[in-house]
Amino acid sequence: MRRRPPMLAGMSSPSAVPAPTPAAVPAPPTLRDVLDAARRLDGLVVRTPALEHPELDRAAADAGARDARLVVKHENLQHTGAFKVRGALNLLLGLDAEERRRGIVAYSTGNHAQALAHAARHTGTRCTIVMPTDPNPVKERAVRRLGADVELHGSTFDDARERAAELAETSGARLVGAANEPVLVAGVATATLELLQQAPDLDVLVVPVGGGSGAAAACLVAAAMAPGLEVVAVQAAASPAAHDSWRAGELRTAANTTRAEGLAVGCGFALTQRVLRERLADFLLVSDDEIAAAQRAYLTAARTVAEGAGAAALAAVLVHPDRFAGRRVGVVCSGGNASEPELRRALDA
Ligand SMILES: *Cc1c(COP(=O)(O)O)cnc(C)c1O
């Protein structure tokens, strides 16, 4: 195994880490891991555009964020419609032939599943996705079309998780969670790396959070390459586990009722929380209705389709304008997989 420094250069020294990290919690990726990921993913992921939208700046000004200049990182245009494919490909490209033969197992109905199925097909890896019975038919079809085996099990996410763990245990396949996976975080971090090249003058970067891999990745890259850049996380107020964990300084569970599928997570995760604790500047909450209004702003002012999770960062700018007035603001539009009813609701918002 390659030796690695305990923390990224530029972050505080290991002795400043508050609590001893249990052995089961993997160390965060280093900048070198992120640069390795960027090389691996070159040509396999979309170098998504980072765009200014004057109409969106006007909408932000109308909301009170005067002279905020937004730059949208369009991961809604990424393969499978969300940033998660960066992490999935980085992970599967790193497996050897025997590991690919044994395959991977995951539980998810959403973008994590699609990203893994896409990466599995690309790398010739067996892939089984466990979903609760009665899944969103659109997402189920998308995963099947990408060639993954889908197993429907149980009525809740927890049932599906248990079944996935059992399958991994009996088959030797690797269980791939959506957080606590350093290789996923390193792959996801390539989006921030690109953005810093596309818009080196950002004052603040706003990132939506479910399990926290995207925000942790942004923090790691900012710590190493853009010390003055503030990273601000955003979560749905109806699913605030990562927010609550960050504020409390310890892992928390919380209610989990947001409509924004990509943000529907009910607990904090040790790996991502550890990074957020060290580097995150602020953590904001937005309501589901505010998220829908931001989806509408994307549609009307930027001709951009964002799913709820993908619009949460913009919602934070519109809802907390004082924080962003006069600043150059990177806004991560993390995904575009909005269903038709969801888009209708957004236009009515
Ligand atoms: C998964 C997801 C998120 C949340 O990302 P985490 O890394 O879990 O915090 C945000 N937006 C979209 C579109 C997602 O699919």
Side-chain angles (χ1 to χ4, degrees):
M1 246 183 78
R2 178 151 47 86
R3 282 187 56 204
R4 63 171 75 200
M7 295 301 284
L8 201 64
M11 299 181 68
S12 54
S13 68
S15 61
V17 175
T21 311
V25 180
T30 63
L31 180 63
R32 179 174 167 170
D33 296 326
V34 179
L35 295 172
D36 282 347
R39 195 158 28 104
R40 241 184 215 158
L41 299 184
D42 187 31
L44 299 179
V45 298
V46 180
R47 186 182 167 87
T48 56
L51 300 180
E52 297 172 5
H53 299 282
E55 288 284 326
L56 209 52
D57 285 1
R58 266 190 285 280
D62 289 346
R66 286 191 45 212
D67 298 324
R69 289 156 300 138
L70 311 188
V71 181
V72 176
K73 179 62 170 163
H74 277 277
E75 285 295 294
N76 58 315
L77 302 178
Q78 188 52 262
H79 295 312
T80 74
F83 72 92
K84 285 199 174 68
V85 81
R86 295 175 183 268
L89 269 170
N90 193 43
L91 188 133
L92 295 200
L93 288 166
L95 299 185
D96 64 28
E98 170 59 18
E99 289 168 324
R100 287 181 191 174
R101 197 191 55 72
R102 284 204 299 270
I104 56 166
V105 180
Y107 55 94
S108 162
T109 57
N111 292 334
H112 182 54
Q114 285 190 61
L116 287 171
H118 172 92
R121 186 165 70 173
H122 179 79
T123 55
T125 305
R126 291 187 52 185
C127 175
T128 306
I129 305 291
V130 185
M131 296 180 175
T133 50
D134 201 20
N136 174 337
V138 178
K139 305 251 163 147
E140 182 193 354
R141 213 177 312 128
V143 170
R144 286 192 197 275
R145 221 184 281 132
L146 287 164
D149 296 323
V150 174
E151 183 177 320
L152 303 180
H153 184 91
S155 55
T156 69
F157 234 60
D158 288 334
D159 295 337
R161 179 173 51 221
E162 275 172 29
R163 176 62 185 152
E166 187 182 299
L167 278 176
E169 181 79 26
T170 53
S171 70
R174 188 188 195 291
L175 183 65
V176 183
N180 280 350
E181 293 275 3
V183 189
L184 287 189
V185 175
V188 167
T190 60
T192 308
L193 206 57
E194 282 175 15
L195 178 58
L196 292 183
Q197 291 161 351
Q198 294 164 317
D201 56 343
L202 296 180
D203 299 311
V204 52
L205 175 58
V206 193
V207 189
V209 170
S213 72
C219 283
L220 289 166
V221 173
M225 300 182 65
L229 176 64
E230 267 185 27
V231 179
V232 172
V234 182
Q235 204 165 33
S239 297
H243 166 274
D244 293 359
S245 300
W246 185 75
R247 296 245 176 245
E250 62 182 33
L251 298 185
R252 291 279 169 93
T253 59
N256 180 16
T257 60
T258 181
R259 286 194 302 260
E261 226 169 62
L263 307 182
V265 175
C267 62
F269 289 89
L271 168 63
T272 51
Q273 284 293 327
R274 174 178 162 189
V275 176
L276 297 183
R277 243 186 332 259
E278 295 225 352
R279 185 57 173 74
L280 192 69
D282 204 355
F283 209 138
L284 305 175
L285 293 175
V286 291
S287 73
D288 278 16
D289 287 347
E290 288 162 347
I291 287 174
Q295 284 179 282
R296 181 173 194 278
Y298 265 133
L299 284 166
T300 57
R303 308 288 160 205
T304 291
V305 173
E307 62 185 279
L314 177 62
V317 174
L318 300 177
V319 173
H320 302 275
D322 294 347
R323 228 195 165 294
F324 302 100
R327 309 183 79 192
R328 179 94 160 140
V329 186
V331 181
V332 177
C333 180
S334 52
N337 291 320
S339 68
E340 233 178 274
E342 183 182 354
L343 289 173
R344 276 187 228 290
R345 196 164 44 227
L347 281 171
D348 289 339

